[in-house]
């Protein structure tokens, strides 16, 4: 993903809301072009080519039957639904839907989404570009600690209009959220949430949970880390995916592959990764994922490195099954300390040994995870991991860890929010 895309997105979100609304359609087309993706023909012919429901149709045909659901969950705008790599918002939405909730996923259609009204994307999950927050007062509304675009709007919304849950999912940092103005917005949102603006706080890691409890009290905080869709990574349909020749030929060159999937972002420890790549020409290193703020340029160009770019989520298991060792090399700092990586549990579901940097506390709490501080230690830990990669008992333990940390377990923990607000049906 180009830096020009992020610059354009930042400019767009700094515009007044009435200007954003007027420019939404051309902005979406510009965004698609900058991301090197094409606009579906349906999007060019007309925004309602998918027969999206109007607000009135959705209200009369879906919301009118809300008593049939356990509750209503609204995911506030954070990322588009239709992206290459599903993340926490989509997974949590799907998990709540499976548990019997009506889920409304709000998108600004900035990247790949093209909904105009309401569109069902999964059973019980409706994608919309319509702001329904104040029109569904019985709903729980999730707003992310990284959602700078909508921060001031949420702060300005009368508190009696919504049941607000602040999802404290990441340490607030320019490496995640960009320029100083974005950070200022997020700090204002956090201060608002921590000073009583949020009804409940959901934290995605123990470090963030501890901080939130200190601010608002244990009764208002729920711990719900990231998780995994185990069925996605165990689905044998991935065996039929056609993998490009450059990937398969690279795989054949090396007895063992160290693989990573996720954003190639500023919080990756590129300096030590590059040392490791240079010191271990016997290993092939594969990096799968979108470029985030130019991160991919920081990976050394070497014969034993393959950067694929983003892979569609539905095809990702086919590629990741080719790994021998899975890697999460975050640089030391607050991001590494406070992050609960989705990929940890996805790697578990693949039954692959995981090597991480030592400061990743949400990973190193599992004795099955190998960790090192710097290239030399990481190299040694990779060798240790290789010794157990085919061990049946070790693989079974990883599978069990994946089952214990799936998204349904996370949604069950999150569901305590409804009990705290006494609005579950």
């Amino acid at each position: 993903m180009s830096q020009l895309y992020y610059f354009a997105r930042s400019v767009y979100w700094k515009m007044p809301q009435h200007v954003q609304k007027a420019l939404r359609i051309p902005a979406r087309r510009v965004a698609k072009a900058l991301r090197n993706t094409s606009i579906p023909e349906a999007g060019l012919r007309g925004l309602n080519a998918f027969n999206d429901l109007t607000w009135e149709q959705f209200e009369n045909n879906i919301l009118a039957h809300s008593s049939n659901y356990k509750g209503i969950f609204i995911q506030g705008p954070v990322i588009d639904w239709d992206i290459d790599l599903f993340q926490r918002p989509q997974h949590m939405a799907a998990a709540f839907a499976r548990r019997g909730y009506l889920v409304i996923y709000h998108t600004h259609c900035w990247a790949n989404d093209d909904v105009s009204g309401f569109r069902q994307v999964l059973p019980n999950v409706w994608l919309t570009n319509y702001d329904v927050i104040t029109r569904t007062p019985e709903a729980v509304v999730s707003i992310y600690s990284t959602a700078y675009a909508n921060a001031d709007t949420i702060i300005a919304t009368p508190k009696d209009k919504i049941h607000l849950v602040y999802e404290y999912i990441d340490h607030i940092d320019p490496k995640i959220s960009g320029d100083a103005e974005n950070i200022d917005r997020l700090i204002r949102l956090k201060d608002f949430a921590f000073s009583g603006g949020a009804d409940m706080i959901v934290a995605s890691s123990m470090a963030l949970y501890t901080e939130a409890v200190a601010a608002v009290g244990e009764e208002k905080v729920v711990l719900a880390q990231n998780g995994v869709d185990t069925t996605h990574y165990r689905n044998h349909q991935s065996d039929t995916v056609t993998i490009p020749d450059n990937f398969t030929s690279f795989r054949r060159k090396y007895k063992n592959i160290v693989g990573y999937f996720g954003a190639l972002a500023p919080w990756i420890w590129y300096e030590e990764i590059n040392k490791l790549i240079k010191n271990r020409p016997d290993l092939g290193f594969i990096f799968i994922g979108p470029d985030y703020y130019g991160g991919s340029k920081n990976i050394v160009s070497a014969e034993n490195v393959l950067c694929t770019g983003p892979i569609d989520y539905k095809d990702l298991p086919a590629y990741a099954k080719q790994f021998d060792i899975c890697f999460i090399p975050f640089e030391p700092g607050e991001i590494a300390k406070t992050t609960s990586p989705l990929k940890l549990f996805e790697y578990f579901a693949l039954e692959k040994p995981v090597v991480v940097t030592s400061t990743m506390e949400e990973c190193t709490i599992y004795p099955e995870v190998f960790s090192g501080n710097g290239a030399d230690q990481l190299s040694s830990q990779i060798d240790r991991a290789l010794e157990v990669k085919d061990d049946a008992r070790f693989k079974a333990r990883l599978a069990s860890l994946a089952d214990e940390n799936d998204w349904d377990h996370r949604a069950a923990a999150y569901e305590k929010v409804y009990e705290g607000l006494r609005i579950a049906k």
Side-chain angles (χ1 to χ4, degrees):
M1 194 182 302
S2 70
Q3 294 191 52
L4 184 58
Y5 165 81
Y6 287 105
F7 173 75
R9 186 174 71 173
S10 177
V11 170
Y12 177 78
W13 289 124
K14 291 173 183 175
M15 295 176 178
Q17 285 196 350
H18 70 280
V19 177
Q20 291 180 16
K21 185 175 181 180
L23 294 177
R24 187 161 294 160
I25 295 174
R28 186 169 71 242
R29 291 174 176 171
V30 170
K32 286 177 181 286
L34 293 178
R35 285 167 57 94
N36 296 318
T37 58
S38 60
I39 306 171
E41 287 298 318
L44 292 171
R45 288 197 301 270
L47 288 175
N48 228 15
F50 288 92
N51 296 317
D52 298 336
L53 302 185
T54 64
W55 164 252
E56 290 77 15
Q57 290 172 326
F58 183 75
E59 185 178 35
N60 293 333
N61 294 291
I62 307 301
L63 281 181
H65 304 287
S66 62
S67 60
N68 295 333
Y69 300 91
K70 291 175 68 175
I72 302 175
F73 179 80
I74 296 177
Q75 178 56 65
V78 55
I79 55 174
D80 276 24
W81 176 269
D82 184 16
I83 57 175
D84 292 316
L85 194 61
F86 266 32
Q87 298 179 36
R88 179 185 176 100
Q90 294 98 324
H91 285 300
M92 196 65 82
F96 264 110
R98 288 192 296 269
R99 295 184 68 81
Y101 288 81
L102 173 62
V103 177
I104 303 172
Y105 191 100
H106 187 187
T107 175
H108 283 310
C109 297
W110 176 244
N112 295 335
D113 292 345
D114 60 358
V115 63
S116 180
F118 294 82
R119 182 185 307 165
Q120 190 171 24
V121 290
L122 289 175
N124 295 349
V125 180
W126 291 82
L127 181 68
T128 185
N129 65 333
Y130 193 92
D131 188 354
V132 298
I133 287 177
T134 58
R135 295 204 178 196
T136 49
E138 71 277 23
V140 161
V141 178
S142 158
I143 185 72
Y144 271 46
S145 60
T146 54
Y148 58 82
N150 217 44
D152 291 331
T153 300
I154 288 294
I155 293 171
T157 301
K159 196 170 183 305
D160 61 348
K161 295 287 187 181
I162 58 174
H163 298 291
L164 182 66
V165 173
Y166 178 77
E167 291 207 42
Y168 195 16
I169 64 161
D170 276 312
H171 175 70
I172 296 174
D173 192 291
K175 291 181 179 179
I176 297 175
S177 300
D179 63 29
E181 185 170 344
N182 292 346
I183 297 301
D184 287 344
R185 288 184 181 187
L186 294 180
I187 291 173
R188 287 197 299 272
L189 180 63
K190 179 183 174 182
D191 290 344
F192 168 77
F194 276 39
S195 62
D199 296 284
M200 298 286 288
I201 294 172
V202 172
S204 68
S205 74
M206 183 54 70
L208 299 178
Y209 174 83
T210 301
E211 181 188 353
V213 167
V216 303
E218 190 174 4
E219 70 282 355
K220 292 190 66 176
V221 186
V222 170
L223 177 64
Q225 293 109 323
N226 286 323
V228 59
D229 177 359
T230 56
T231 59
H232 184 68
Y233 289 92
R234 294 169 179 166
N235 190 334
H236 292 295
Q237 288 182 357
S238 63
D239 297 338
T240 65
V241 172
T242 301
I243 298 178
D245 290 341
N246 70 320
F247 191 98
T248 55
S249 61
F250 185 87
R251 164 71 265 195
R252 286 194 297 268
K253 285 172 59 178
Y254 298 93
K255 180 180 178 182
N256 293 304
I257 294 291
V258 177
Y260 168 90
F261 60 70
L264 297 178
W267 54 84
I268 301 296
W269 205 2
Y270 294 106
E271 181 181 0
E272 295 303 310
I273 291 173
N274 290 340
K275 291 179 185 177
L276 179 61
I277 290 168
K278 180 180 178 181
N279 294 341
R280 295 299 302 266
D282 58 309
L283 299 174
F285 292 85
I286 296 178
F287 297 89
I288 296 174
D291 185 296
Y292 191 65
Y293 292 137
S296 64
K297 297 177 182 177
N298 294 318
I299 298 178
V300 66
S301 178
E303 184 179 346
N304 62 329
V305 173
L306 177 65
C307 294
T308 68
I311 299 294
D312 194 296
Y313 179 67
K314 72 177 187 300
D315 297 332
L316 182 60
Y319 289 78
K321 286 178 180 178
Q322 304 300 313
F323 299 168
D324 294 288
I325 304 297
C326 293
F327 203 24
I328 315 180
F330 285 17
E331 69 178 2
E334 286 300 312
I335 294 176
K337 180 181 177 182
T338 60
T339 295
S340 169
L342 273 74
K343 60 183 66 63
L344 173 66
F345 306 111
E346 292 171 328
Y347 291 164
F348 286 165
L350 289 164
E351 301 177 18
K352 306 288 184 179
V354 183
V355 177
V356 307
T357 42
S358 298
T359 51
M360 300 195 69
E361 295 180 1
E362 288 288 318
C363 300
T364 58
I365 59 174
Y366 298 98
E368 295 80 7
V369 171
F370 300 86
S371 64
N373 184 25
D376 290 342
Q377 288 188 17
L378 289 170
S379 179
S380 297
Q381 294 299 309
I382 288 171
D383 287 335
R384 286 187 61 211
L386 286 171
E387 292 175 1
V388 297
K389 73 182 183 71
D390 297 317
D391 184 277
R393 286 188 299 176
F394 185 79
K395 291 164 68 71
R397 176 58 185 151
L398 296 183
S400 178
L401 285 173
D403 290 333
E404 294 166 13
N405 292 279
D406 69 14
W407 283 111
D408 289 327
H409 282 84
R410 300 309 190 221
Y414 198 136
E415 203 169 10
K416 295 174 185 175
V417 163
Y418 286 83
E419 298 170 11
L421 296 175
R422 294 187 175 87
I423 58 174
K425 296 179 180 177

